[in-house]
Each structure stands twice: as C-alpha cells, then as structure tokens.
Amino acid sequence: MKISYNWLKNYISTDKTPEEIGRILTDTGLEVESIEKLEAVKGGLEGVIIGQVVSCEQHPDADKLKLTVVDIGSEKLQIVCGASNVGKGQKVVVATVGCTLYPNPDEPFKIKAAKIRGVDSFGMICAEDELGLGNSHSGIMVLPNDVAIGTKAAKYFDLEDDYIFEIGLTPNRADAMGHIGVARDLMAYLNFHEQKKLKIEWPEVKELKTPSESHKIAIEIEEKTLCSAYCGISLSDIKIAPSPEWLQKKLRAIGLNPINNVVDATNFVMRELGTPIHAFDTAFLNGRISVKKAAKDQNFKTLDCIERKLSGEELMISNGKDNLCIAGVLGGVFSSVSEETTSIFLESAVFDAVSVRKTARAHSLNTDASFRFERGVDPELTLYALRRTAGIIKEIAGGEIAMNEFSWNSGAYKSKEISIDLSRINSLIGFEIPKKSHLKILKDLDFTILKDNENLIEISIPGYRIDVTREADVTEEILRIFGFNQIPIPEKWNLALSNEAQNKTDKIQGAISETLVSKGFNEVMNNSLTKSSYIEKFGGESFKAEHNVTMLNPLSQDLNVMRQTLLFGVLENMQRNQNRQNPNLKFFEFGKTYFKFPAEYKEKQELILCITGEKYSERWNSDKALVSYFTLKGLVSALFDRLGLTPHLQEKELQNDLFSQGQELDLFKKAICQIGFVKDEILSHFDIKNPVFCAVINWDLVLQNLQTVKTQFKELPKTFSVRRDFSLLLNKNIQFKELEKIAKLSNKNILKSVGLFDVYEGDKIEEVKKSYALSFTFQDDEKTLTDEEIDKVMSTIKDDFEKNLGAVLRS
C-alpha cells in the first residue's frame, strides 16, 4: 500500500523527515518496505535559473534566430534563442550549461555550450514543455517583472518533492488502509515518545440537506445480513471534467491514474479514510437503489468490460430491474459516470467481509474496494466519508445537493467492551510499564476508558479495530506504540533442560538434507496448494479427485486444492528451470500431502527426490551420460543404508499411475518408498524434454521405524573374503531379487553378498531367455575358508536355481 509523505502531513503536524517517519511506522507495526523519492518535475530543475534579457538582437547569419544576453545574477550569458516572443527586458527561465532537462521523462536532454550558425551559445531560454511544466511550445515562458534575478526555478515554481512509503500492510490492520489511519499511529508514537500534544486534523464536513429533493432515490436494503450500513446522496447539475491539478497530483503520487473529477474524488476519499465510495449516474437508476442478491446465471458486464456470469451468491446493487454494481467489488459499465453524466448518486456502505471476499475470488477480481471491504471498514466513518466526498465534488465539479442524505444501519455494530488487567499485561510483556503510559497510549489510539479501578481497567474498543477482541490484543497495541525495542533484554535467562527423545526428527531431516546436497541436489519448497486439474487428469486410481481437500474460498483456480502428491510441484520447478536453460536438475523436497476421506482428513509427511538431464556437470574430463533409474535407486539405497533400514526392506513391482514403471520398497509390509519413471504424458504436459526419475519416501514411516534401529559394533574380520562367479541362462521374467533370495537361503553363515555384474540378451540365445552373470562373496570371520566348503555351497546354490527357477549353468 502506498502512502504519500506530503499527503500524510495534511492530517498531522510534524517536521519529521521521510526516513524518520519510515522508521517510526515500521516500529509501530506498519512495515515500510521502501521509500521512493517522487520529484515534482524529473531532475528537480537543478541548474535552471530565473534571468533577465538585457539585450536582444537579430542573429547575424539566421533570420529566425535572436542573439541575446541574459543576466542570471551571478553572470551574464550569451544565448542564441529561436523563440519568436523573446525580447529585451523580459524575465525568463534559463537552463544553464551542464544541467539536464526532461521534456520527455524517458529522454533526458543535457544542456551544453554550442556554436549555432557561427555564434557561441551558453545555455537555453526555456518554454514550459521543455521544463516539463506543461505542454505549450508556442514560445518561451515570460515571467512577471517582480521576480528576482538569480532565483532558482524550483523555488519560484514552488516545486515540492514527495516521498512515497510502500507499506506491507498485514490483513489485521484494516484501520491503516487510508492516510488518516497511518497518521493516527504516527500521532500516538510522537505523543508518547516526544511528549507532543498532536491531534488528527480531520477535514471539515457538513450535513447534506436540501429543501428541494429533485433527484430523490428510494433505497431498499433486502440483504440486511450482508449490508450492515448504507448511506447515500444525490447531486445534480455537475460538470464532468478533468480534476484540478492538486487532486491529480495526489492520486498520481500513490500510483493511481486520474479519470475525471467525480471518480477521482471517490478514489481520493478511499485513500484518505480507507472507506470505499461508489458513484452512479442517476440517469440509469430509475429513481431506485436495491441491495439484494443476484439471480443465478445472470450476465453482468463490469467496468473492466468483461461479461461475467453470476452464481446467485453475489450481493448486487440494482435499480430494481437491472444490476448496477457487484457490491463492494466492482461497478458495472451500465451505470458508470461518463462525460455525459449531469447527476450522480454516491454510495457509502458496509458490506459483509466474507461475502465480498468470496465474490471477488469467484470472479478472480482484486480491486481497491474489495481489498478494504474484505478486511473490514470503519462503520463509524460511513456517513462522514459520504459527506466528505460530496463536499469535494461540489467544490471541483459544481452541482447541488439533490436529496437529503440517507443513512441506515442494521444495529449489528455495537462497540466492544472488555476488561484488562495492567499487571497481567506487564507480566506478559516482561517489563513494568507505568499505568500512566498504558492509559496515554490507549487514549491516543482512540480506546475509551470506561472504568479505572487501579490495575483493572474497562475499555471500549474503537469500531475500526476489528482485530482487537481480547486482552492479548490490547497488550500488542500498547507494546507496538511503547516500542518492542524499548523492552530490555534480561541479564539472566532461566531455561529448563528437557530430556529429548532419542529420535530427534529435525536433526535426522537435517542430516539427510546435507547428504543430498553433498550429492548435488537442491532443496525446493513448494506451496501446499495446487491445481485440482492435476489429479483429475493424471491421478488415475492412485490419486482420486474425491480425496482432494478443496478450498472453500480459493485464491485462484491454480491454488484450489491441497496437494495429494509432491510430484507436480517439483515438476513445475523443473519446467521453470528448463525454460531458463538449466536442464540438468536434482531436486528434493520435504513436505506434507493431504487427503480427505468420508470419516476423516489425513496428512502425511513425505520426501521426494527427482532427477533429470546429465549425470555430471559439464567439464572437459567428464562424459555426457544421462541420469538413469539406477542412478536414483543407488542414491535411495544409500539413504536407507544411512538410516539403518536396508536389512528390513523388501522389493516388489510398483503400482502407481504417475509412473510408467518402477519398484516399491516395503518396510515390515508397509510401503516406504516408490521409485520409478515419471510417465511421458505428464512430462509432455509440463513440456519437460528429458526423462524424469522420481522417488517418493514415506517420511512418517521412516521416523516411526528409526527407533527400532540399533547401531551394532563388531571387530574387523581376521580373514580374507573369497569370490566365486558363474553365468546362468534363465527366463526373461525372472528378477535378480529372486536369485538373491534363493542364494542367501542356501547358507546364511558364510555367504555375505550376491551381485549382478553382467546381463546379456541377444541373438546367441533364445528370445525368451537372458543371461545373468552373478558374483558370490564368502567369508568366515574366524577362519580361512577351504575350497571344499565354498564348492559345497556353490553346488547347493546351483541346484536350488535349477529346481526353483529352471536356471541352467552356462559353460
């Protein structure tokens, strides 16, 4: 939210610099993210001086040029001028050599000494468009004779630079959505810390009455639960025109484009008070305003010229027949103020925050009005804002009040009253703030003291502070004005040492993260909200749309459900990187997934690993091999080795509709990891060129079973290991894990490991067959094995392979 320094000072008398005010606002909870200097004229007319033409003669070698001498106080300059209206004795504006003008903000023009048709010229006598002060180029600016020679042009034209505060407004601070709300915090701070006696300088407004109601509008509130207050007034005989310069200047300062005097007045008051105002052309009202819900499937064309289909839940402003405005969100083209408008109806209301928010999100709208109504506007300012707007419009657009002001409220708003205990507040703060300071801060923030019984105080909360409902909220209000930085850090800290459980989940997650980073991975963190279309299109039987946790009020259709899988978020990351010429990627993410079932909601912590592209970064001595399924599987195996879970893992075929093929690892008959190839159709959707290999680890299950892992120590073996190899011819459908399992069952004492080091499929063997070359490692920790012992086990293994798998030993 943008706040103008000059505009802010209309409501509070202070000589604080923009930097000082920025620091104060940040300390009070209105974080100033940036301060931008806004020059009244770009360049500030630096080096531009008021001078007097002391001589003016015809240029010796040009009919349309004049040779002048101009006195600028410090010296006299010879200047060649082409303006037809230049003359001796005139007071003029001179741009001296070295200064820079901005006739076009994007095209600076630097003044240099020049020789024009053989005559030296040291400066330029300026027209208003050359200075950036107007559009006229009919001649040079001629100033009144009483202007002092040598006066700086910036001083003469009273150019006042402004400073714009960019405030990161938090959703709870609805009270600071206008300049006066920001000024209130500044006043409270200065009154407390500098013992000032400042007050907010509220603009004067008058009751709106007329003896002749020539444009009386009948107002009917049908939806009283969605509209708790409504005020209105009509004005006739107005003239639509550009706004005066002062109003355009203020709106431009905060990034708004001036439109016309009526619309600009409503925008000005909204940015001044935080209360939205809407103007209707009375020619389209049929003498009536009705606040009611829309009819389902009606079409309505909004000010952005988009035809919108209404759901029937929107609160609308209508004339009894036609819809005029989506209440609190956006007006319609039909009744908008135009150049032909001669009479208007002004609306100032309080619409239900939830209703406005749902309507705005449903139609993907985010307007200045909805921004304020969603957070809650001050119900006590509704009539004041109406009077303020009407007064400005009468001043700048003419016209007369054409009906007596209408003011209605449902009575739903009642001032909140709560009791607070100052001793408990001090205890919560951890510092003894005097009672006098408490009361002073509360009064400056518009809290009313109802009862004062030593430390027990009863207060009334101002209507615009919808976020203050309890003692803890009042504590925060006191502390932000008193100053969080004013609370001293204690010299001694008393801490209770806890006996942490052996399984320290954060430490374990950190260790795994460090391991992955050391392997070239980057950690990503994605939003838990995602598109429902991902599951609808690709989920299949593994992930069903009925299990989506759907947002009741989504920010957008791209963020309308909670994720059931981490995969799509990581693929979005890969797509973004690939589009920026970074195709070789290794990503991991720890995050939760969410599911809805008929009787309950569930969430699960997972770890996902995804790799794509080349295995190694480009170097002169490295090949360009691509990552593969086995690259990822080896890494996953290393992680489970690191966690001590490998001995308990069982492999089986993967059934997952997001993967074309892969493996599932089970731990005590529960799926702990799925590794596979991401389906081509999914990669095509994200426009990812290379294959992507993914592993999803059930991190909750990992943590549950880590407590069963015990670190064991044993002596190094005293003997050497022995390796034996043989080659088998077997059916293609037989997997290595079956061979490994049978071999280990043959002897659990001396057979330490089984490996697969070669696979052959080709024309030298049958089409349905394949050849595996296996290695077997034997070792006895206490004695050296003999050939007879090893041959006996190898013979048993061969027989078991033949019996159970039909495998034949190749010679």
Side-chain angles (χ1 to χ4, degrees), residues 405-456:
E405 63 187 29
F406 173 87
S407 179
W408 169 89
N409 71 77
S410 64
Y413 166 71
K414 293 180 181 178
S415 178
K416 291 176 288 187
E417 298 178 0
I418 63 172
S419 295
I420 59 174
D421 185 337
L422 298 185
S423 60
R424 189 160 56 231
I425 287 176
N426 283 338
S427 176
L428 183 60
I429 293 173
F431 182 71
E432 193 71 23
I433 298 177
K435 178 180 178 181
K436 182 179 178 181
S437 298
H438 281 288
L439 299 183
K440 180 173 178 56
I441 291 171
L442 290 173
K443 288 176 181 177
D444 280 334
L445 291 176
D446 291 346
F447 289 81
T448 304
I449 309 300
L450 301 176
K451 291 181 182 179
D452 182 352
N453 183 15
E454 294 186 0
N455 281 331
L456 296 176

Side-chain angles (χ1 to χ4, degrees), residues 700-714:
D700 285 334
L701 191 58
V702 169
L703 296 178
Q704 290 171 18
N705 286 277
L706 280 182
Q707 297 182 17
T708 65
V709 175
K710 294 182 179 179
T711 304
Q712 296 180 339
F713 298 91
K714 62 180 182 179

Side-chain angles (χ1 to χ4, degrees), residues 442-595:
L442 290 173
K443 288 176 181 177
D444 280 334
L445 291 176
D446 291 346
F447 289 81
T448 304
I449 309 300
L450 301 176
K451 291 181 182 179
D452 182 352
N453 183 15
E454 294 186 0
N455 281 331
L456 296 176
I457 309 293
E458 190 171 324
I459 61 173
S460 173
I461 299 169
Y464 57 81
R465 292 312 306 268
I466 59 175
D467 59 316
V468 179
T469 59
R470 53 185 180 154
E471 186 179 84
D473 299 328
V474 178
T475 303
E476 182 181 357
E477 290 301 294
I478 292 169
L479 189 52
R480 67 185 185 84
I481 299 301
F482 180 82
F484 288 92
N485 295 334
Q486 303 300 316
I487 306 301
I489 297 175
E491 296 180 358
K492 181 176 70 172
W493 292 77
N494 297 319
L495 300 174
L497 297 176
S498 62
N499 184 15
E500 291 183 295
Q502 184 178 359
N503 182 19
K504 301 173 183 177
T505 57
D506 289 343
K507 187 176 180 180
I508 294 167
Q509 182 171 320
I512 294 300
S513 297
E514 289 176 4
T515 299
L516 290 170
V517 169
S518 70
K519 299 291 184 181
F521 278 74
N522 288 295
E523 183 173 11
V524 298
M525 287 180 276
N526 289 303
N527 199 329
S528 296
L529 299 174
T530 188
K531 298 179 185 179
S532 57
S533 59
Y534 285 152
I535 294 299
E536 293 165 1
K537 188 172 183 179
F538 303 116
E541 292 299 315
S542 303
F543 300 93
K544 297 183 178 180
E546 64 193 61
H547 297 313
N548 278 334
V549 180
T550 305
M551 298 294 101
L552 296 177
N553 187 23
L555 293 172
S556 73
Q557 291 307 304
D558 287 345
L559 299 170
N560 61 348
V561 298
M562 302 192 79
R563 62 191 178 191
Q564 290 190 46
T565 172
L566 303 180
L567 176 62
F568 297 120
V570 177
L571 291 179
E572 287 176 352
N573 302 142
M574 287 187 161
Q575 179 188 40
R576 179 179 176 83
N577 276 270
Q578 178 189 265
N579 292 343
R580 287 157 178 78
Q581 289 76 50
N582 187 20
N584 306 320
L585 304 166
K586 295 180 180 179
F587 287 154
F588 76 95
E589 179 179 11
F590 285 95
K592 289 187 176 181
T593 53
Y594 307 86
F595 305 86

Side-chain angles (χ1 to χ4, degrees), residues 130-183:
E130 293 166 335
L131 296 170
L133 297 175
N135 298 316
S136 174
H137 195 70
S138 59
I140 62 169
M141 295 185 74
V142 180
L143 307 180
N145 287 327
D146 58 356
V147 183
I149 296 172
T151 303
K152 290 185 177 180
K155 181 178 180 182
Y156 171 76
F157 290 111
D158 193 23
L159 297 181
E160 185 180 24
D161 293 337
D162 200 357
Y163 294 85
I164 306 304
F165 303 102
E166 185 69 48
I167 294 178
L169 193 67
T170 52
N172 65 307
R173 292 302 306 276
D175 62 298
M177 291 189 295
H179 281 73
I180 282 183
V182 175

Side-chain angles (χ1 to χ4, degrees), residues 539-735:
E541 292 299 315
S542 303
F543 300 93
K544 297 183 178 180
E546 64 193 61
H547 297 313
N548 278 334
V549 180
T550 305
M551 298 294 101
L552 296 177
N553 187 23
L555 293 172
S556 73
Q557 291 307 304
D558 287 345
L559 299 170
N560 61 348
V561 298
M562 302 192 79
R563 62 191 178 191
Q564 290 190 46
T565 172
L566 303 180
L567 176 62
F568 297 120
V570 177
L571 291 179
E572 287 176 352
N573 302 142
M574 287 187 161
Q575 179 188 40
R576 179 179 176 83
N577 276 270
Q578 178 189 265
N579 292 343
R580 287 157 178 78
Q581 289 76 50
N582 187 20
N584 306 320
L585 304 166
K586 295 180 180 179
F587 287 154
F588 76 95
E589 179 179 11
F590 285 95
K592 289 187 176 181
T593 53
Y594 307 86
F595 305 86
K596 181 184 74 173
F597 296 98
E600 62 180 342
Y601 290 88
K602 286 187 177 181
E603 58 183 63
K604 182 168 63 175
Q605 183 79 0
E606 294 181 345
L607 165 62
I608 188 170
L609 315 176
C610 287
I611 61 175
T612 186
E614 294 180 4
K615 186 182 297 186
Y616 307 108
S617 58
E618 188 175 11
R619 292 189 181 90
W620 69 271
N621 61 347
S622 64
D623 59 29
K624 292 191 175 183
L626 298 177
V627 295
S628 67
Y629 170 83
F630 297 102
T631 307
L632 184 60
K633 186 180 179 184
L635 184 66
V636 170
S637 298
L639 289 182
F640 281 117
D641 283 343
R642 176 82 171 78
L643 294 166
L645 297 175
T646 299
H648 310 291
L649 295 179
Q650 297 292 325
E651 294 181 358
K652 71 177 185 180
E653 188 176 352
L654 176 62
Q655 301 293 328
N656 188 315
D657 290 308
L658 301 181
F659 301 128
S660 57
Q661 56 181 311
Q663 282 187 325
E664 178 177 297
L665 301 180
D666 288 358
L667 181 69
F668 304 123
K669 298 184 179 181
K670 292 183 180 179
I672 194 170
C673 179
Q674 295 183 331
I675 317 172
F677 300 66
V678 178
K679 281 187 173 179
D680 289 342
E681 63 184 285
I682 298 177
L683 299 182
S684 177
H685 176 82
F686 289 93
D687 197 27
I688 296 175
K689 311 299 182 186
N690 292 322
V692 175
F693 306 96
C694 176
V696 180
I697 298 173
N698 184 337
W699 192 247
D700 285 334
L701 191 58
V702 169
L703 296 178
Q704 290 171 18
N705 286 277
L706 280 182
Q707 297 182 17
T708 65
V709 175
K710 294 182 179 179
T711 304
Q712 296 180 339
F713 298 91
K714 62 180 182 179
E715 292 184 22
L716 289 173
K718 300 175 181 177
T719 61
F720 294 101
S721 62
V722 179
R723 170 173 163 163
R724 294 287 176 89
D725 301 337
F726 60 50
S727 178
L728 292 172
L729 187 66
L730 63 165
N731 293 329
K732 276 189 176 181
N733 63 336
I734 296 174
Q735 297 183 7

Side-chain angles (χ1 to χ4, degrees), residues 58-107:
Q58 186 65 41
H59 190 288
D61 194 27
D63 293 341
K64 294 183 179 181
L65 297 179
K66 299 289 179 65
L67 181 59
T68 68
V69 176
V70 183
D71 183 1
I72 62 170
S74 59
E75 60 180 319
K76 292 181 180 179
L77 302 175
Q78 177 174 284
I79 299 175
V80 176
C81 180
S84 60
N85 65 329
V86 65
K88 182 178 178 180
Q90 292 174 339
K91 295 290 180 66
V92 294
V93 184
V94 179
T96 59
V97 172
C99 78
T100 302
L101 301 180
Y102 292 86
N104 183 327
D106 299 323
E107 297 179 6

